[in-house]
């Protein structure tokens, strides 16, 4: 894949060079990496919780772009059967019986008899699966399915995250991470930790209760 | 901290770009996503197993029905969690609402409300179309549900939250979300009662006057309706709770 035998400069800039390979042939993957890094940096480095969540959303978008990118197929259309490929579609059956298709265009009486024989014929022409050639005309539906649910679930989880942020603001009056951490530490320092020895008898009691139940 | 974050980010970026070279070129037919037998099976046999021309819907609601059911449960739980996190109890509930500066108490804007009055029916009709037509064109329960939820949010934006809550209160939204999952799981259980496996819709052909392929089609529609209920309700519940910090009253 990579031009190892070429000189250093052509490894970078040549026809088969790294830049050509990455920026021209795999542009989507570059964009996904950049988006992912923006999100990752925001999640780690930003102090504001809302900015962290924005980072999380960007990160999620990067993953969605990645999945959609790997699902792309040269010459493939969206994964919805066109009429002539639909094994159950009317079109396919009419194509198989051109004389019937003509009949339906005739008088009404003819049309009803045609549909009747049509139904009778149904058993003979069981729906067939697509050939390999026809299959190559459609993109893989699976990445789209996964991302479809991921988007909606992403919105729901983002909602939970925002709710938590609002709750933190209500409790501490700030959404800056270090201020919240300082407040929590101050709270911990103010709390008197109960003596370990005094809690021991209680534990023994609980144990004996468990033993009784058993 | 920022320098450390930058170092981690750059390192990850270098690794990912290094790995990106090994991906097959854009749209290559030999890429695993396109060449795998799973992909071939979905594309070649969806039309044989079901009567649904939209493979995405068929994979979502039938082949991966179990997964989608629990995705819906995740959305439902998220809605419950948001209500639980933001609910005000005890002294918290009696605390006065935060006074916002520059808040002008006026009637809802005439132009905005009348535009929304015209828009909402169209949006809701479109939501039903996206939901019901999801088998033959892009669409389905998730998309239709989100559009439907947006119509309620639009009402809340144009007037205020109580106006929207008259139409869909948060309590009723939670109920609706539960009903959605019950519809989904109910169809699954019903096919189990008819002798099949959980969510094996083909068994429904015993009670519906249709072929087993068409039974899958109808069951998928039912399942999508359940999903749409849950998504609609949770989207509105999320908005109502987040926009009012759990008070569920007042304007935006």
């Amino acid at each position: 894949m990579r031009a190892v035998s070429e000189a250093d400069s052509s490894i970078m800039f040549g026809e088969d060079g790294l830049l050509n390979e990455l920026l021209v042939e795999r542009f989507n993957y570059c964009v996904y990496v950049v988006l992912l890094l923006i999100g990752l940096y925001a999640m780690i480095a930003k102090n504001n919780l809302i900015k962290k969540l924005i980072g999380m959303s960007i990160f999620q978008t990067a993953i969605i772009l990645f999945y959609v990118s790997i699902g792309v197929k040269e010459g493939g259309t969206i994964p919805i059967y066109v009429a002539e490929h639909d094994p159950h579609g009317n079109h396919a059956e009419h194509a198989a019986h051109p004389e019937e298709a003509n009949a339906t265009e005739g008088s009404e009486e003819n049309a009803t008899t045609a549909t009747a024989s049509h139904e009778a014929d149904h058993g003979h022409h069981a729906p067939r699966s697509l050939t390999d050639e026809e299959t190559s005309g459609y993109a893989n539906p699976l990445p789209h399915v996964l991302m479809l649910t991921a988007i909606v679930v992403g919105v729901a989880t983002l909602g939970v995250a925002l709710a938590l942020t609002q709750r933190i603001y209500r409790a501490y009056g700030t959404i800056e991470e270090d201020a919240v951490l300082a407040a929590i530490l101050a709270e911990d320092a103010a709390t008197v930790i109960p003596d370990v020895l005094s809690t021991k008898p209680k534990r023994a009691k609980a144990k004996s209760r468990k033993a009784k139940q058993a | 901290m920022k320098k450390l974050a930058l170092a981690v980010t750059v390192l990850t970026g270098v690794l990912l770009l290094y790995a990106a070279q090994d991906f097959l070129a854009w749209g290559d037919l030999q890429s695993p996503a396109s060449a795998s037998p799973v992909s071939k099976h979905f594309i070649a046999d969806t039309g044989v197993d079901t009567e649904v021309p939209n493979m995405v819907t068929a994979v979502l609601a039938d082949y991966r029905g179990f997964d989608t059911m629990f995705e819906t449960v995740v959305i439902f739980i998220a809605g419950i969690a948001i209500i639980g996190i933001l609910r005000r109890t005890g002294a918290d509930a009696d605390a006065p609402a935060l006074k916002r500066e520059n808040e002008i108490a006026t009637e809802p804007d005439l132009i905005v409300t009348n535009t929304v009055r015209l828009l909402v029916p169209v949006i809701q009709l479109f939501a039903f179309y996206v939901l019901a037509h999801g088998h033959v064109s892009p669409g389905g329960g998730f998309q239709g549900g989100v559009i439907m939820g947006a119509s309620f949010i639009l009402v809340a934006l144009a007037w205020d939250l109580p106006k929207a809550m008259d139409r869909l209160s948060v309590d009723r939204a939670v109920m609706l979300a539960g009903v959605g999952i019950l519809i989904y799981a109910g169809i699954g259980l019903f096919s189990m009662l008819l002798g099949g496996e959980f969510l094996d819709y083909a068994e429904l052909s015993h009670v519906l006057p249709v072929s087993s392929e068409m039974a899958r089609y109808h069951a998928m529609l039912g399942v999508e309706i359940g999903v749409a209920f849950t998504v609609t309700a949770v989207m509105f519940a999320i908005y109502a709770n987040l926009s009012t910090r759990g008070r569920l009253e007042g304007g935006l």
Side-chain angles (χ1 to χ4, degrees):
Chain A
M1 270 231 172
R2 265 173 289 158
V4 186
S5 59
E6 303 269 326
D8 273 3
S9 62
S10 71
I11 286 178
M12 260 329 252
F13 303 105
E15 185 78 343
D16 297 333
L18 198 60
L19 277 184
N20 182 50
E21 196 169 84
L22 275 179
L23 286 180
V24 180
E25 289 173 8
R26 289 163 183 76
F27 186 63
N28 265 49
Y29 297 121
C30 287
V31 175
Y32 120 78
V33 169
V34 170
L35 279 176
L36 194 129
L37 293 184
I38 294 171
L40 187 67
Y41 181 78
M43 278 200 288
I44 300 174
K46 291 294 172 186
N47 201 23
N48 188 308
L49 291 177
I50 295 289
K51 284 180 185 167
K52 275 180 193 284
L53 288 182
I54 294 172
M56 192 184 82
S57 269
I58 297 173
F59 195 100
Q60 219 164 29
T61 314
I63 303 293
I64 290 168
L65 177 66
F66 173 66
Y67 263 77
V68 172
S69 299
I70 59 172
V72 171
K73 200 172 186 178
E74 185 92 56
T77 180
I78 51 168
I80 298 174
Y81 289 122
V82 294
E84 58 262 37
H85 286 172
D86 191 353
H88 285 106
N90 291 326
H91 191 102
E93 284 167 20
H94 280 290
H97 310 278
E99 72 284 357
E100 265 186 27
N102 290 336
T104 41
E105 281 162 21
S107 70
E108 197 142 306
E109 202 177 319
N110 272 353
T112 44
T113 49
T115 37
S117 68
H118 200 97
E119 274 163 20
D121 268 8
H122 198 76
H124 297 288
H125 298 270
R128 60 173 186 88
S129 50
L130 266 59
T131 60
D132 274 4
E133 200 189 334
E134 287 164 340
T135 313
S136 67
Y138 295 104
N140 183 3
L142 194 56
H144 302 276
V145 170
L146 295 177
M147 289 309 102
L148 179 90
T149 49
I151 290 168
V152 184
V153 171
V155 170
T157 48
L158 184 67
V160 175
L162 286 171
L164 281 171
T165 313
Q166 278 194 2
R167 193 61 197 255
I168 287 169
Y169 184 77
R170 208 192 285 167
Y172 296 103
T174 175
I175 49 168
E176 297 294 321
E177 191 190 15
D178 50 3
V180 173
L181 279 177
I184 291 172
L185 286 178
E187 228 171 57
D188 279 358
T191 323
V192 183
I193 299 165
D195 194 358
V196 186
L197 286 174
S198 66
T199 57
K200 249 189 183 173
K202 266 186 193 169
R203 233 187 243 167
K205 228 183 196 174
K207 251 187 198 171
S208 66
R209 204 179 293 157
K210 259 185 200 169
K212 257 185 201 169
Q213 273 178 358
Chain B
M1 188 63 199
K2 294 221 156 147
K3 272 178 193 162
L4 186 71
L6 199 63
V8 170
T9 311
V10 169
L11 189 70
T12 317
V14 168
L15 282 175
L16 285 174
L17 281 177
Y18 184 69
Q21 295 173 62
D22 291 338
F23 282 120
L24 290 172
W26 175 252
D28 195 319
L29 287 173
Q30 293 311 311
S31 75
S34 300
S36 73
V38 178
S39 161
K40 283 225 177 79
H41 175 79
F42 282 153
I43 297 170
D45 290 335
T46 296
V48 179
D49 295 341
T50 77
E51 286 213 30
V52 178
N54 184 350
M55 292 167 235
V56 175
T57 302
V59 174
L60 179 87
D62 197 334
Y63 292 109
R64 294 181 65 87
F66 204 57
D67 176 42
T68 308
M69 189 178 109
F70 281 100
E71 301 264 19
T72 318
V73 173
V74 166
I75 294 169
F76 174 70
I77 291 172
I80 298 284
I82 288 167
I83 293 168
I85 289 166
L86 291 179
R87 168 155 288 175
R88 289 167 186 269
T89 48
D92 221 11
D94 303 331
L98 286 175
K99 277 270 159 69
R100 270 173 250 185
E101 284 173 27
N102 308 324
E103 190 173 283
I104 313 161
T106 51
E107 288 292 300
D109 188 82
L110 188 70
I111 295 171
V112 172
T113 50
N114 276 311
T115 311
V116 170
R117 233 186 268 273
L118 288 173
L119 269 179
V120 164
V122 182
I123 293 174
Q124 295 190 338
L125 205 60
F126 182 64
F128 282 128
Y129 161 74
V130 168
L131 167 62
H133 215 248
H135 297 74
V136 285
S137 67
F142 286 99
Q143 297 92 321
V146 168
I147 296 170
M148 188 56 112
S151 74
F152 287 107
I153 292 172
L154 195 60
V155 171
L157 282 172
W159 284 273
D160 49 10
L161 196 60
K163 179 97 172 171
M165 298 241 296
D166 285 346
R167 280 142 187 83
L168 180 66
S169 74
V170 170
D171 287 344
R172 213 184 303 159
V174 171
M175 228 165 68
L176 201 63
V179 166
I181 291 173
L182 277 180
I183 291 175
Y184 202 134
I187 290 173
L189 278 175
F190 193 53
S191 46
M192 212 166 149
L193 283 178
L194 290 171
E197 288 163 8
F198 188 62
L199 292 172
D200 183 5
Y201 310 136
E203 299 297 331
L204 292 174
S205 60
H206 297 317
V207 286
L208 297 172
V210 287
S211 64
S212 64
E213 289 86 6
M214 206 57 196
R216 286 182 184 276
Y217 181 102
H218 290 312
M220 269 185 238
L221 181 62
V223 158
E224 297 269 22
I225 288 170
V227 170
F229 271 178
T230 307
V231 173
T232 303
V234 170
M235 286 301 137
F236 182 68
I238 288 175
Y239 171 80
N241 275 284
L242 283 181
S243 65
T244 57
R245 304 180 192 178
R247 282 181 196 287
L248 301 178
E249 60 188 26
L252 190 61

